[in-house]
């Protein structure tokens, strides 16, 4: 009951995750393509400004590449300068220095920017910003306990450390248990007997449909009483389980009356160095008993005198 | 001569046996054969003892020597084939008397025997009366059909690995089947027993085992037993097998034996035997008489328990593990029975068959005391009631059971039991059921004696018998004390009167010397004016099986003020008895009511009659009369009796009575009893069934859930979910038995459509479904089996539409569910068999019920497969029972044939016996009704079965007679051609014949007991006759010795040769068979004699198909020409034969014709028996075929070569 629910939510999460992944890859692509396209437009308009009427695609590509490299270099260097001064966000002077470093006459820039024949380029269409894929959320994210300063990194996602129970709640309803046990046993028995019936000879109660109630054929055995009298293995097993303790008790008490004295003497003897242990006295006693009984006596050798 | 005085025991034999050696030196499991010899030490008690008659059946006798002299002998067993000719006689009366005559003719108690040995004349001429004779007999048994039973499982391995074993068995005195002996309970002697068996086997026999010695090749060993206590031959037994040995941990002189792999079961089963020993020794104040005791558990046992001197043989199926509940008390009972019989039956033996009741009575009685001690007074009283019901039911149905038949002086004509179709003169002619009832009655009578003289005296009597016997047993034979080990009715009665000083004569006369039980009808009225209870007790003493009772009877009246005993005198013509009441009929509600046992209880008295102080009345509450009481009292009285009477017998009686009162009050009383856990569980079980019956009678007014359902739910189901039964826990046996029984009883409930209510069926199916035994210490197989029985009980006849064939499709939905359960259970049994396959048994029964009710097609094939040899015996019996039922319902002659074939061929005697007895109880047809099954062929078949097919088993023969009686009655079966036809046939023979169909006189002319005078006369006759016969002993014996190669014992030639010498006096030789019609009987006898005489030659062992072995028979031929020179008239001399075969048959012919002549002369006037001749001929020619095989398959291999006659 609980399990399917868990499973369901699980798969649901999975689905969501794969969904976000797709969305995040294609917008990034789009962004890159858009930037590239914008740069191409810029290159083309600069060429037009300069008086070119047409340009080879490859040339435009090269110029675009150069332009991109250049801008990237500016960004990189500006960032470096800013970080050099222990800041994280570049400022205008950083860029200026960069430009200077790159051999660019900064003073020409305002003029150039305000040139008359400059072409206005429309802003690239706004593409939705790439969504950062959401981390899997399993369970409640833990906040820091009081003794951990808040600036310390947050706890990782709970799914990395919490255990998720995947077993089903045991059914404790007696009726259901009995019901299950009963039907299970019945099914097993039925299946087993059906199988036996199918694989061996059968007898049938009906003439019209011999498969209806298949009876495993009766097979005579040479020593029928053994099967009939000896408890089956199953029963023996059950017996061991149920009353092994009880039996122990019984044998203990049975042995006691006869053995207590024996045991004592055994201990004494042990002290005096005789080779008898706790168990030996009983064996010994039974050996003595054996002597009484003629059936336990050894068989005699034939007398020599007797002639064949 | 045979006049018995009261005390002394006179042997019917002219000699006394003192010691016997039995030596069996080879037991061959492969061939199922046994070779050995016996040596009997005999003291003649007459001058000139010239004949010794011994018992021997089916033994092949090779040689007999008396004091080292070869002795001629005759072997004649008239019981082999009771009617010696294929007469057209088919009426049971005729057979029964012929059979009785045959049994008498060999009855050791009458001094007879099958084997007649002629004492060599040198010996009897010595005339010294006290000269000891040693009779040495070499014999063998080949595939014995009786006496010894070989169990040889058909698997791989050596005999020991296979668990092959052999044991002796028999019904009553049957030792003669396996060695020659005096097979009488009254002939005691000491024994030396030697058995040489394979080194892997153990031979268990009677007495002390002295030593075991290897043979020289070390492959065999010899067990030496010595039994110094004088013992009768029937109490000698033997069991040989690869037994596992268990020395009893409590009594080291007691040893238990079981078949391989069963040792754990044996340990558990035997763990309480010492308690039984202690109990008997204590009450009898007498040590166990033998120095050791052995129990042997064997497969395919003849009966569950059989006791022999110092050992008992049990069925291996009595063994059980700790998990088995139901079998435990049963097995304990068997052990207790066996041990009781050790004292009375084995150690103390009986003088004659008529005294058997004393032994059975005493052993049954002390067994009852054991039951009382072990299982409690309730169980004991319940058992007594059960036994009482059994015997009364039997006697009222079948006629009386007579414990002590007296046959006054052998002259008495009238049969003491004319209602029976068998004679009770011999144990071997009794029907098995009768014998069981006999035992039952014997112990009940013993209890009556105890009631009369008190238990203390009773035990003193037993002690006296035992101490006399043990004194006697230690004496030498010469002291003539041994007869004190024999009990007789008169000696027993004498002891009783000596010990108790009481005269129990009337009691004995009533119950022992007279058959029948008492049937009382009681009713009462309360006379308010006089405050008197007017009790009327009537008797039915005219129906069969009843007798009139005169004497005291105890009546217990429970009144408001207490319980009062009254002893009334039943007299000739007083029916009414006035019993004054002690209490006024008032309602004192506050007062508690005192019961018989002193207890005081509160009762709700609102139900009772306001005018009467009587709560209930019981007639003969102590069961001190063998009676059946039908007593009438109001329903509320029965209900009070059920609720408040503490005696289980009273409770059971009231439950039975309440069946006739289906009222809410009865229902309440029964339910209350059911719930009361102090109440004896068997009473509660009985209440279940009564409640079901009442519920059915009250169907229309019944309210609430089906009877017992809520009770069961409360007791055995879970509190939280009442439709689910608790997991099994059988620690409390009382509730266990109740839990088993309630569903079975509930399934008997019926609704208005006479169907089992849906509720109940589902309930039972749920019980099966939710049954869970995993946590149980005990096996639930009996419980599951009873649930199947419950399903089976719920079945009602199918509504059949125009007799359509039953198919799977039109199976009723409920039945489908039931069938599914049964199928599953039955299939699971194959994988996990239950103890004693009890579930299979229940399933088979249920399937038969389904068939019978028309739910599934009636088909015997399933049962046939389960009935085959190789299934557990309980399963087989269940399947056979279904087949018997099928045979009756479907009138199938094919199945009947199948069953009868099994009766003839099955290796297990018990199964054969059961088939016949089940056929008798559920007969395919009866004498009253016509049936197409009743055919001449069937009559012939059954006739043959009882005439000759069952000669190896007394019990089986009597079973066959029972069946014959059930099917055809006493007279000529109706399906046979009309008597007129018989007459015509006889006319053809030119004889005026009234015979075959005429039954009337014969039964009356019952064979007489051998008149002793005749007998001795006969002896003299023989003596005078013998001299003229030249053939016999000295020279011959000498010669034979010379001729006979060493160690080749059997001498058929000798046999042939010797017979003639005895033949002439023959005519009169079986005085026992004489009947009114003397002439006829003489002929009959002489024919019988010849026949058997011949028979002996061809088949010394029981008739049967002996595998022909041509070579051997050819080899053995030369032996047979011998008889030719015998000095007898040979009216039809045959050409001198080339082969022995012919010669032997021709010689037979010779003899035969001789007799014919004889016969003819004799008979001219008495034509009656002409037909016998004819058939005799037929018979002979048949026999001829067999002659070839005579001796051919003797186990003694060398024997065929030599023959003394060769030299002739």
């Amino acid at each position: 009951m609980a399990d399917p629910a868990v499973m369901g939510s699980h798969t649901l999460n999975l689905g969501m995750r794969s969904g976000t992944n797709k969305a995040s890859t294609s917008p990034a692509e789009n962004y890159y393509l858009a930037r590239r396209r914008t740069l191409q437009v810029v290159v083309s308009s600069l060429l037009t400004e300069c008086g070119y009427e047409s340009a080879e695609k490859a040339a435009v590509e090269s110029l675009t590449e150069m332009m991109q490299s250049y801008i990237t270099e500016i960004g990189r260097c500006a960032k470096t300068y800013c970080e050099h001064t222990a800041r994280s966000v570049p400022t205008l002077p950083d860029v200026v220095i960069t430009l200077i470093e790159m051999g660019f006459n900064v003073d020409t820039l305002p003029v150039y920017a305000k040139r008359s024949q400059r072409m206005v380029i429309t802003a690239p269409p706004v593409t939705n910003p790439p969504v950062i894929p959401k981390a899997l959320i399993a369970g409640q994210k833990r906040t820091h306990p009081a003794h951990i300063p808040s600036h310390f990194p947050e706890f990782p996602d709970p799914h990395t450390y919490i255990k998720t129970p995947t077993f089903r709640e045991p059914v404790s309803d007696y009726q259901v248990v009995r019901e299950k046990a009963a039907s299970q046993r019945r099914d097993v028995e039925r299946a087993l007997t059906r199988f036996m019936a199918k694989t061996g000879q059968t007898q049938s109660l009906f003439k019209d449909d011999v498969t209806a109630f298949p009876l495993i054929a009766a097979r005579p055995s040479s020593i029928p009483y053994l099967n009939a009298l000896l408890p089956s293995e199953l029963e023996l097993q059950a017996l061991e389980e149920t009353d092994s303790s009880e039996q122990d008790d019984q044998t203990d008490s049975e042995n006691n009356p006869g053995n207590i004295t024996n045991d004592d003497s055994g201990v004494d003897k042990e002290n005096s160095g005789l080779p008898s242990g706790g168990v030996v006295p009983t064996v010994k006693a039974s050996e003595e008993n054996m002597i009484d009984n003629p059936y336990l006596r050894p068989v005699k050798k034939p007398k020599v005198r007797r002639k064949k | 001569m045979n006049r018995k005085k009261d005390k002394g025991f006179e042997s019917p034999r002219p000699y006394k046996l003192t010691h016997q050696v039995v030596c069996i030196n080879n037991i061959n499991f492969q061939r199922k054969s046994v070779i050995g010899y016996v040596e009997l030490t005999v003291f003649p008690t007459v001058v000139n003892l010239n004949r010794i008659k011994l018992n021997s059946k089916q033994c092949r006798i090779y040689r007999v020597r008396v004091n080292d002299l070869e002795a001629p002998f005759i072997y004649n067993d008239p019981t082999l084939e009771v009617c010696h000719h294929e007469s057209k006689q088919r009426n049971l009366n005729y057979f029964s008397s012929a059979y009785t005559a045959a049994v008498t003719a060999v009855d050791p108690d009458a001094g007879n025997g099958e084997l007649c040995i002629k004492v060599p004349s040198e010996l009897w001429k010595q005339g010294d009366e006290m000269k000891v004779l040693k009779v040495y007999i070499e014999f063998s048994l080949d595939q014995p059909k009786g006496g010894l039973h070989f169990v040889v499982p058909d698997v791989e391995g050596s005999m020991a690995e296979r668990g092959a074993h052999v044991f002796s068995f028999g019904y009553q005195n049957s030792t003669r089947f396996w060695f020659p002996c005096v097979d009488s309970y009254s002939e005691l002697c000491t024994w030396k027993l030697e058995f040489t068996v394979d080194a892997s086997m153990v031979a268990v026999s009677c007495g002390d085992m002295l030593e075991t010695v290897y043979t020289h090749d070390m492959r065999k060993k010899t067990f030496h037993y010595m039994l110094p206590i004088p013992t009768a031959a029937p109490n000698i037994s033997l069991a040989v097998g690869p037994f596992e040995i268990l020395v009893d941990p409590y009594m080291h002189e007691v040893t238990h034996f079981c078949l391989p792999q069963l040792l754990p079961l044996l340990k558990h089963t035997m763990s309480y035997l010492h308690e039984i020993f202690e109990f008997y020794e204590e009450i009898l104040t007498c040590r166990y008489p033998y120095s050791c005791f052995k129990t042997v558990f064997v497969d395919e046992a003849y009966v569950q328990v059989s006791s022999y001197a110092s050992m008992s043989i049990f069925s291996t199926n009595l063994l059980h593990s700790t998990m088995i509940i139901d079998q435990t008390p049963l097995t304990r009972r068997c052990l207790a029975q066996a041990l009781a019989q050790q004292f009375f039956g084995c150690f103390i033996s009986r003088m004659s068959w008529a005294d058997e009741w004393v032994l059975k009575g005493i052993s049954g009685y002390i067994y009852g005391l054991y039951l009382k001690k072990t299982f409690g007074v309730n169980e004991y009283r319940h058992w007594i009631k059960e036994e009482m019901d059994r015997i009364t039911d039997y006697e009222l149905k079948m006629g009386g059971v007579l414990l002590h038949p007296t046959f006054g002086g052998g002259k008495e004509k009238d049969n003491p039991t004319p209602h029976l179709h068998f004679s009770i003169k011999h144990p071997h002619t009794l029907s098995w059921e009768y014998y069981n009832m006999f035992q039952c009655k014997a112990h009940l009578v013993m209890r009556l004696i105890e009631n009369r003289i008190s238990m203390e005296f009773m035990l003193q009597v037993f002690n006296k018998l035992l101490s006399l016997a043990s004194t006697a047993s230690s004496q030498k034979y010469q002291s003539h004390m041994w007869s004190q080990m024999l009990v007789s009715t008169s000696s027993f009665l004498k002891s009783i009167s000596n010990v108790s000083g009481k005269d129990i004569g009337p009691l004995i006369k009533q119950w022992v010397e007279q058959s029948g039980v008492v049937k009382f009808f009681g009713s009462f009225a309360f006379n308010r004016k006089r405050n008197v209870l007017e009790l009327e007790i009537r008797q039915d003493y005219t129906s069969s099986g009843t007798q009139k009772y005169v004497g005291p009877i105890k009546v217990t009246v429970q009144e408001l003020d207490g319980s009062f005993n009254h002893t009334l005198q039943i007299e000739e013509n007083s029916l009414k008895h006035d019993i004054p009441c002690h209490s006024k009929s008032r309602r004192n509600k506050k007062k508690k009511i005192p019961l018989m046992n002193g207890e005081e209880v509160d009762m709700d008295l609102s139900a009772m009659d306001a005018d009467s102080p009587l709560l209930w009345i019981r007639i003969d509450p102590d069961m001190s009369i063998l009676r059946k009481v039908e007593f009438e009292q109001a329903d509320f009285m029965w209900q009070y009796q059920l609720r408040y009477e503490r005696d289980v017998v009273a409770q059971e009686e009231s439950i039975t009575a309440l069946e006739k009162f289906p009222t809410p009050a009865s229902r309440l009383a029964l339910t209350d009893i059911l719930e009361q856990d102090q109440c004896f569980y068997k009473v509660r079980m009985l209440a279940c069934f009564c409640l079901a019956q009442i519920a059915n009678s009250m169907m229309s007014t019944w309210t609430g859930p089906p009877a017992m359902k809520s009770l069961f739910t409360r007791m055995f189901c879970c509190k939280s979910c009442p439709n689910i039964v608790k997991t099994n826990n059988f620690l409390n046996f009382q509730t266990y038995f109740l839990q088993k029984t309630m569903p079975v009883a509930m399934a008997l409930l019926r609704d208005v459509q006479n169907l089992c209510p849906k509720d109940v069926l589902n309930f039972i199916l749920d019980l099966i479904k939710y049954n869970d035994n995993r946590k149980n210490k005990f096996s639930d197989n009996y419980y599951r089996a009873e649930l199947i029985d419950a399903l089976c009980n719920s079945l009602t006849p199918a509504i059949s539409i125009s007799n359509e064939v039953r198919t799977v499709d039109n199976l009723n939905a409920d039945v489908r569910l039931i069938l599914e359960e049964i199928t599953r259970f039955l299939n699971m049994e194959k994988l996990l068999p239950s103890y004693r396959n009890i579930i299979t048994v229940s399933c088979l029964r249920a399937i038969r019920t389904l068939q019978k009710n028309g739910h599934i097609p009636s088909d015997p094939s399933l049962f046939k497969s389960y009935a085959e040899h190789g299934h557990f015996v309980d399963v087989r019996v269940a399947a056979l029972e279904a087949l018997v039922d099928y045979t009756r319902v479907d009138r199938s002659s094919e199945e009947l044939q199948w069953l009868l074939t099994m009766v003839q061929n099955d290796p297990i005697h018990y199964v054969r016996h059961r088939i016949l007895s089940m056929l008798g109880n559920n007969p395919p047809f009866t004498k009253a009704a016509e049936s197409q099954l009743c055919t001449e062929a069937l009559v012939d078949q059954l006739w043959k079965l009882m005439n000759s097919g069952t000669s190896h088993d007394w019990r089986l023969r009597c079973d066959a007679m029972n069946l014959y009686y059930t099917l055809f009655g006493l007279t000529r079966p109706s399906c046979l051609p009309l008597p007129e036809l018989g007459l015509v046939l006889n006319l053809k023979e030119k004889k005026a014949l009234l015979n075959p169909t005429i039954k009337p006189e014969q039964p009356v002319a019952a064979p007489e007991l051998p008149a002793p005078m005749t007998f001795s006369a006969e002896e003299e006759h023989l003596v005078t006759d013998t001299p003229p016969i030249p053939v016999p002993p000295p020279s011959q014996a000498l010669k034979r010795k010379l001729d006979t190669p060493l160690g080749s014992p059997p001498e058929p030639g000798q046999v042939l040769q010797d017979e003639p010498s005895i033949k002439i006096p023959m005519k009169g030789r079986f005085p026992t068979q004489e009947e009114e019609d003397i002439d006829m009987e003489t002929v009959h006898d002489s024919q019988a004699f010849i026949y058997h005489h011949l028979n002996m030659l061809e088949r010394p062992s029981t008739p049967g198909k002996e595998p022909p072995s041509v070579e051997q028979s050819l080899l053995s031929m030369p032996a047979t020409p011998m008889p030719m020179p015998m000095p007898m008239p040979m009216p039809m001399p045959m050409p001198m034969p080339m082969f022995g075969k012919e010669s032997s048959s021709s010689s037979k012919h010779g003899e035969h014709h001789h007799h014919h002549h004889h016969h003819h002369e004799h008979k001219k006037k008495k034509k009656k028996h002409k037909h016998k001749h004819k058939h005799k001929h037929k018979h002979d020619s048949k026999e001829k075929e067999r002659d070839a095989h005579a001796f051919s398959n003797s186990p003694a291999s060398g024997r065929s070569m030599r023959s003394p006659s060769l030299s002739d």
Side-chain angles (χ1 to χ4, degrees), chain B residues 26 61 103 127 140 182 243 581 587-588 751 776 835 1120 1184:
Chain B
N26 191 5
I61 291 174
V103 171
S140 80
V182 179
F243 297 121
C581 288
R587 279 294 152 73
N588 192 343
D751 63 12
N776 200 356
Y835 178 71
T1120 37
K1184 232 188 275 182

Side-chain angles (χ1 to χ4, degrees), chain A residues 178 185 189 203 228 295 300, chain B residues 211 225 771 824 836 865:
Chain A
R178 288 293 302 277
R185 199 195 50 202
E189 286 184 3
Q203 291 164 319
Y295 292 95
K300 289 182 187 166
Chain B
E211 56 179 3
Y225 285 90
N771 176 45
R824 195 167 49 82
R836 294 193 77 155
S865 71

Side-chain angles (χ1 to χ4, degrees), chain A residues 299-303 306 308, chain B residues 24-30 33-35 195-203 212-224 240:
Chain A
V299 182
K300 289 182 187 166
K301 294 275 155 63
K303 287 172 200 145
R306 241 205 231 168
K308 154 60 261 164
Chain B
I24 290 187
N25 31 43
N26 191 5
I27 298 179
N28 187 332
F29 280 94
Q30 200 75 54
S33 65
V34 162
I35 303 177
F195 305 101
T196 304
V197 301
D198 201 80
S200 54
M201 300 266 185
V202 185
T212 327
V213 185
Y214 277 117
T215 52
H216 283 270
D217 57 5
M218 300 292 279
R219 288 164 64 185
K220 292 185 170 189
K221 50 191 181 185
T222 306
F223 288 79
H224 293 267
V240 177

Side-chain angles (χ1 to χ4, degrees), chain B residues 77 87 217 243 264 271 348 498 501 537 599 621 638 663 858 909 914 1015 1065 1068 1072 1208:
Chain B
D77 183 0
S87 86
D217 57 5
F243 297 121
S271 57
I348 294 196
N498 284 347
I537 300 178
E599 209 180 326
W638 288 118
T663 61
S858 206
H909 295 90
R914 281 311 300 270
F1015 186 79
T1072 50
D1208 297 350

Side-chain angles (χ1 to χ4, degrees), chain A residues 174 178-179 185-186 189 203 208 214 216 221-222 225 228 235 246 289 293-296 300 302 306, chain B residues 155 209 211-212 214 225 252 255 294 299 718 725 769-771 777 779 807 821 824 827 836 862 865 870:
Chain A
Y174 185 77
R178 288 293 302 277
E179 171 81 47
R185 199 195 50 202
R186 172 175 301 215
E189 286 184 3
Q203 291 164 319
D208 56 327
I216 302 175
S221 93
S222 312
Y225 61 85
E235 283 176 309
E246 246 169 292
N289 301 338
N293 194 290
Y295 292 95
L296 302 178
K300 289 182 187 166
R306 241 205 231 168
Chain B
V155 286
M209 194 179 80
E211 56 179 3
T212 327
Y214 277 117
Y225 285 90
H252 302 311
T255 321
K294 287 139 288 186
D299 190 25
C718 302
V725 69
K769 180 177 170 192
Y770 291 117
N771 176 45
K777 187 179 165 184
S779 163
T807 60
E821 294 299 338
R824 195 167 49 82
N827 283 338
R836 294 193 77 155
L862 179 75
S865 71

Side-chain angles (χ1 to χ4, degrees), chain B residues 526-533 557-564 566 579-588 591-594 605 608-616:
Chain B
F526 177 67
N527 187 327
R528 189 148 62 99
K529 273 187 199 149
R530 295 165 57 208
N531 197 28
V532 155
L533 163 65
V557 181
Q558 174 73 46
E559 301 178 30
L560 288 172
D561 285 356
S563 183
F564 302 94
H566 305 271
I579 300 175
C581 288
H582 295 72
S583 352
K584 293 282 174 218
S585 61
R586 76 198 125 72
R587 279 294 152 73
N588 192 343
K591 217 172 153 195
K592 291 191 168 189
I593 293 171
L605 298 175
M608 71 184 290
D609 181 356
D611 293 336
S612 147
L614 302 173
L615 282 164
W616 66 81

Side-chain angles (χ1 to χ4, degrees), chain B residues 128-310:
Chain B
D128 179 357
E129 197 185 319
M130 289 316 280
K131 172 86 175 169
V132 177
L133 295 181
K134 298 226 176 198
V135 182
Y136 169 90
I137 303 170
E138 279 177 12
F139 70 96
S140 80
L141 283 171
D142 202 15
Q143 315 223 339
K145 294 167 123 189
L148 281 184
H149 183 59
F150 282 87
V151 181
V152 184
D154 185 18
V155 286
E156 290 294 301
S158 72
M159 283 300 165
E161 286 158 0
R162 295 195 209 178
H165 55 287
V166 61
F167 58 91
S168 63
F169 72 92
Y171 159 57
Q172 286 280 330
N173 41 339
S174 298
T175 305
R176 66 183 91 170
F177 281 93
W178 63 287
F179 64 80
C181 58
V182 179
D183 199 7
S184 160
Y185 281 98
S186 58
E187 191 72 23
L188 307 180
C189 68
T190 55
W191 295 80
K192 172 78 176 64
L193 306 153
E194 291 177 35
F195 305 101
T196 304
V197 301
D198 201 80
S200 54
M201 300 266 185
V202 185
V204 188
S205 186
C206 303
D208 304 313
M209 194 179 80
L210 303 176
E211 56 179 3
T212 327
V213 185
Y214 277 117
T215 52
H216 283 270
D217 57 5
M218 300 292 279
R219 288 164 64 185
K220 292 185 170 189
K221 50 191 181 185
T222 306
F223 288 79
H224 293 267
Y225 285 90
M226 177 67 98
L227 182 56
I229 292 178
T231 302
N235 283 326
I236 298 297
S237 74
L238 166 69
V240 177
F243 297 121
E244 305 217 31
I245 300 171
L246 173 70
V247 176
D248 194 285
Y250 300 90
M251 307 165 289
H252 302 311
E253 50 289 281
V254 176
T255 321
H256 313 298
F257 300 88
C258 69
L259 293 166
Q261 301 183 50
L262 300 178
L263 190 60
L265 304 187
L266 183 70
K267 272 184 187 158
H268 173 69
T269 310
M270 284 301 156
S271 57
Y272 47 73
L273 183 70
H274 64 284
E275 291 174 18
I276 308 175
F277 260 99
E278 281 161 19
F279 177 77
Y280 285 142
E281 292 190 349
E282 195 183 316
I283 60 160
L284 299 170
T285 48
C286 170
R287 297 281 305 168
Y288 174 68
Y290 301 98
S291 55
C292 63
F293 180 58
K294 287 139 288 186
T295 63
V296 189
F297 289 82
V298 298
D299 190 25
E300 302 183 2
Y302 186 73
V303 282
Q304 282 198 321
V305 183
S306 43
S307 275
Y308 304 95
S310 85

